[in-house]
Amino acid sequence: MSKDNTDSEPDSADDADNSTAARDRSATSTNLDFDTMFDDSSDESQGLFDDLLSSEPIFENKEVLRPSYTPHELPHRTDQINQMATILVSALRGDTPSNILIYGKTGTGKTASAKFVSQELESTSQKYDVPCEVEYINCEVTDTQYRVLAQLANKFIEKNQARIESTIETLEEVRDYLESTDPDPISVSEGHSNKAAADEAAEIVSRAGEYRTVAAVDAEIDSLAADLDELEPVPMTGWPTDRVYSTFFEAVDYHERVVVIMLDEIDKLVEKSGDDTLYNLSRMNSELTNSRISIMGISNDLKFTDFLDPRVKSSLGEEEIVFPPYDATQLRDILQHRADVAFKSEALTSDVIPLCAAFAAQEHGDARRALDLLRTAGELAERSQADLIEETHVRQAQDKIELDRVVEVVRTLPTQSKIVLFSIILLEKNGVHNINTGEVFNIYKRLCEEIDADVLTQRRVTDLISELDMLGIVNAVVVSKGRYGRTKEMNLSVPIDETEAVLLSDSRLGDIENVKPFVQARFDNE
Ligand code: ADP
Ligand code: MG
């Protein structure tokens, strides 16, 4: 779960031992918004917040611990950043950089490094006035060929529009200059004597020399205005894909430039919609006349190229850069850098950062997890009105984040899986241990009838149980029953009350509580 879902969560640590409160809370989805609103308005309110305000705050600047913050310094990523820069510098020389594929598990700094490099590339290109542009697309959000091409097309259409409009403005001044009898070019730019104005005036004079006559300038303005009229943004649905593609193609090729297209979470795009997008993009250079594109793909999944067409694979992977997981020492450095800015001095005991780093190092060296832990530990300390963040806050933060993860996984399960999971919970609540598939299936069937859901076969239910096992929600083992064949035996591996509360917050499963007496009766009879 890469999503940051700790921000808007109410303080579940407080409610953890009170299942009714937990259930009430998750039954009303508006509660979440209410909590966020609560936070935001805290600085304007009176009375209610006085106590909270008067306690010495722990944070100096919490923003720098949030996932949305892009750090200016990325310790332990110098090698990877230099590799990217070495490849992309071609773009500043007007050549096409090799395509790059970046791999690494979540939280290894891929997105942060790529964004850092792209900002540097664009600012350098402006400094030396070379036409080089970077477009960033997050394919977890933009996950079909249509949407990727439409988003790219629209970005370039916007840029072309801005460019054409400013050229027309300049040409109008050129025409005015040609029409006027005033020989002093400076007056064209309203007499400003600064350098920008002087440059502009010089450009106008030089262009006037090119066009010579007012008629020639007017013809050029008309032709640009016609181009402007033709620029039609791509709607978010509805066009045939080849029309979207050719619109994008024309928009990029409208003038000379090198374009670097960053496709972040590229594995999600390929998983959802195959490799057509990459195939089409990687072939474009042979047909473009004015511009060149270079693709930078970023993947969390190390094996995703196995699913690619061999041509796409070799084109995309011209250069490969690996982002290895951080170890605990590196995570400490990263955390220390941020903590210096995020917290008041002396707000942390000395074991807080090493413990956050150690927990996150176990979690495949994930810097995002490390930062989440540190921020959540700070929030928990703040809420308990402590003066210091201590080791216990980090441990509570670890539990809270883990619980949030479970809640998120359960909340987004398909309805059928939720019914299966609820059956397992009912069995556990009635004291059944080592629950077998048959027992689950019997309860599952009754639940489905109660809420008018389709009843799947026992084989499908067994598959759904395997999925729950893979998600870490249940722990299932296959046991042999001798000549009676094999069955699965399972136990719940997540906190039962919180999980139940999440299931009951689903509108379809909400009514299931009425079924409890019948389930209870079943056990009583047995
Ligand atoms: P990825 O894209 O590999 O999943 P991100 O680049 O999103 O990882 O990094 C996750 C979080 O950790 C972000 O908040 C990022 O700012 C931070 N981060 C990652 N690597 C570093 C680093 N070397 N220095 C500072 N912060 C980092
Ligand atoms: Mg990323």
Side-chain angles (χ1 to χ4, degrees):
M1 291 291 101
S2 61
K3 272 201 214 100
D4 174 56
N5 50 24
T6 55
D7 296 345
S8 52
E9 275 293 305
D11 186 1
S12 49
D14 287 349
D15 307 341
D17 52 358
N18 183 338
S19 71
T20 321
R23 180 177 313 154
D24 285 346
R25 189 191 67 212
S26 31
T28 340
S29 58
T30 49
N31 271 349
L32 293 181
D33 293 334
F34 184 65
D35 264 62
T36 331
M37 198 176 78
F38 227 54
D39 269 357
D40 287 350
S41 56
S42 54
D43 47 11
E44 283 159 28
S45 308
Q46 297 285 326
L48 178 57
F49 295 99
D50 286 350
D51 272 358
L52 291 168
L53 266 182
S54 64
S55 72
E56 191 68 17
I58 282 180
F59 289 101
E60 183 78 50
N61 177 1
K62 200 193 283 185
E63 288 313 305
V64 302
L65 295 177
R66 292 193 188 280
S68 53
Y69 174 80
T70 308
H72 311 292
E73 259 185 292
L74 293 156
H76 305 294
R77 281 303 174 242
T78 327
D79 284 353
Q80 286 77 9
I81 288 174
N82 286 339
Q83 282 182 56
M84 281 191 252
T86 312
I87 299 162
L88 293 175
V89 72
S90 316
L92 296 172
R93 305 199 174 107
D95 298 329
T96 321
S98 303
N99 294 331
I100 308 176
L101 200 51
I102 290 177
Y103 295 104
K105 295 197 169 164
T106 52
T108 50
K110 300 180 300 299
T111 302
S113 304
K115 288 200 160 167
F116 172 77
V117 171
S118 80
Q119 281 161 10
E120 290 286 308
L121 184 63
E122 286 205 308
S123 64
T124 317
S125 86
Q126 274 157 19
K127 189 162 121 197
Y128 295 105
D129 201 19
V130 280
C132 165
E133 286 160 26
V134 185
E135 288 305 339
Y136 173 91
I137 290 191
N138 182 344
C139 302
E140 190 175 23
V141 185
T142 311
D143 59 358
T144 62
Q145 165 159 243
Y146 188 105
R147 284 193 217 142
V148 170
L149 295 177
Q151 188 171 326
L152 286 170
N154 289 341
K155 280 186 176 170
F156 285 104
I157 287 173
E158 257 176 48
K159 289 185 173 181
N160 292 345
Q161 262 166 346
R163 187 183 152 99
I164 296 174
E165 279 162 6
S166 104
T167 314
I168 290 181
E169 264 174 40
T170 313
L171 288 178
E172 279 167 348
E173 292 192 45
V174 172
R175 183 185 48 200
D176 290 349
Y177 173 70
L178 285 171
E179 276 175 343
S180 79
T181 49
D182 185 350
D184 177 11
I186 297 301
S187 71
V188 176
S189 53
E190 291 150 28
H192 295 300
S193 55
N194 63 45
K195 180 166 182 317
D199 282 354
E200 203 187 318
E203 155 136 22
I204 288 167
V205 176
S206 127
R207 291 220 180 196
E210 258 170 60
Y211 288 101
R212 296 232 189 85
T213 64
V214 172
V217 176
D218 277 340
E220 181 64 19
I221 291 178
D222 286 350
S223 139
L224 286 171
D227 282 356
L228 205 52
D229 277 348
E230 268 176 30
L231 294 180
E232 182 191 357
V234 179
M236 280 332 279
T237 55
W239 282 9
T241 310
D242 51 355
R243 182 171 173 202
V244 184
Y245 176 81
S246 59
T247 307
F248 163 54
F249 187 98
E250 279 163 30
V252 190
D253 213 27
Y254 186 72
H255 66 89
E256 187 187 329
R257 61 184 146 196
V258 178
V259 173
V260 179
I261 297 175
M262 286 191 182
L263 298 171
D264 202 353
E265 317 258 340
I266 194 175
D267 45 320
K268 304 270 164 48
L269 173 68
V270 173
E271 190 183 305
K272 170 111 194 279
S273 0
D275 60 4
D276 288 354
T277 322
L278 301 178
Y279 181 73
N280 287 328
L281 290 177
S282 64
R283 279 172 13 135
M284 274 177 76
N285 280 337
S286 55
E287 288 160 38
L288 289 163
T289 29
N290 301 317
S291 61
R292 290 287 176 269
I293 67 168
S294 158
I295 304 168
M296 182 158 135
I298 303 176
S299 169
N300 291 324
D301 177 355
L302 306 169
K303 291 215 220 76
F304 107 102
T305 51
D306 295 355
F307 307 106
L308 296 178
D309 177 308
R311 285 168 295 181
V312 177
K313 183 175 172 177
S314 70
S315 153
L316 197 63
E318 285 171 331
E319 299 278 356
E320 297 190 343
I321 303 177
V322 176
F323 280 59
Y326 296 114
D327 63 26
T329 320
Q330 294 171 327
L331 288 171
R332 278 188 208 187
D333 278 349
I334 293 171
L335 290 176
Q336 191 64 57
H337 266 76
R338 299 280 181 104
D340 292 344
V341 189
F343 297 107
K344 298 262 176 205
S345 63
E346 319 268 302
L348 286 78
T349 59
S350 61
D351 43 9
V352 165
I353 287 183
L355 189 60
C356 290
F359 276 138
Q362 283 166 15
E363 193 83 18
H364 68 253
D366 182 343
R368 181 179 294 111
R369 180 60 169 262
L371 289 161
D372 274 355
L373 267 171
L374 189 58
R375 191 191 67 237
T376 309
E379 284 168 351
L380 292 171
E382 195 173 48
R383 269 177 223 181
S384 61
Q385 308 213 12
D387 303 329
L388 270 179
I389 311 177
E390 293 179 77
E391 190 186 319
T392 56
H393 298 121
V394 179
R395 295 191 186 279
Q396 286 169 22
Q398 173 79 349
D399 290 347
K400 175 169 166 24
I401 290 173
E402 193 46 36
L403 184 61
D404 287 346
R405 186 193 74 88
V406 171
V407 165
E408 185 59 17
V409 171
V410 172
R411 196 181 61 77
T412 53
L413 286 174
T415 307
Q416 284 290 342
S417 299
K418 284 184 175 167
I419 303 174
V420 171
L421 179 57
F422 195 57
S423 311
I424 298 169
I425 287 180
L426 289 179
L427 286 159
E428 283 226 347
K429 286 199 126 177
N430 283 282
V432 184
H433 300 293
N434 302 328
I435 306 159
N436 67 44
T437 319
E439 291 168 320
V440 176
F441 188 65
N442 285 337
I443 305 282
Y444 160 84
K445 265 191 307 197
R446 288 304 301 265
L447 293 179
C448 286
E449 286 160 14
E450 287 299 321
I451 64 164
D452 279 335
D454 292 343
V455 180
L456 303 177
T457 62
Q458 181 155 346
R459 170 177 290 253
R460 272 296 291 143
V461 169
T462 306
D463 290 345
L464 294 181
I465 291 171
S466 303
E467 283 173 28
L468 293 174
D469 187 12
M470 279 190 303
L471 290 168
I473 298 173
V474 303
N475 177 23
V477 284
V478 177
V479 289
S480 167
K481 292 278 171 191
R483 61 200 175 88
Y484 300 105
R486 284 154 16 123
T487 184
K488 273 204 164 111
E489 283 188 357
M490 72 209 79
N491 293 300
L492 200 66
S493 36
V494 291
I496 191 161
D497 290 333
E498 286 82 356
T499 312
E500 185 186 18
V502 178
L503 289 175
L504 291 174
S505 71
D506 183 303
S507 60
R508 285 200 74 183
L509 275 76
D511 294 340
I512 271 177
E513 265 182 300
N514 308 335
V515 185
K516 275 196 181 157
F518 118 75
V519 176
Q520 191 58 53
R522 242 185 77 88
F523 283 106
D524 290 346
N525 290 340
E526 271 171 7

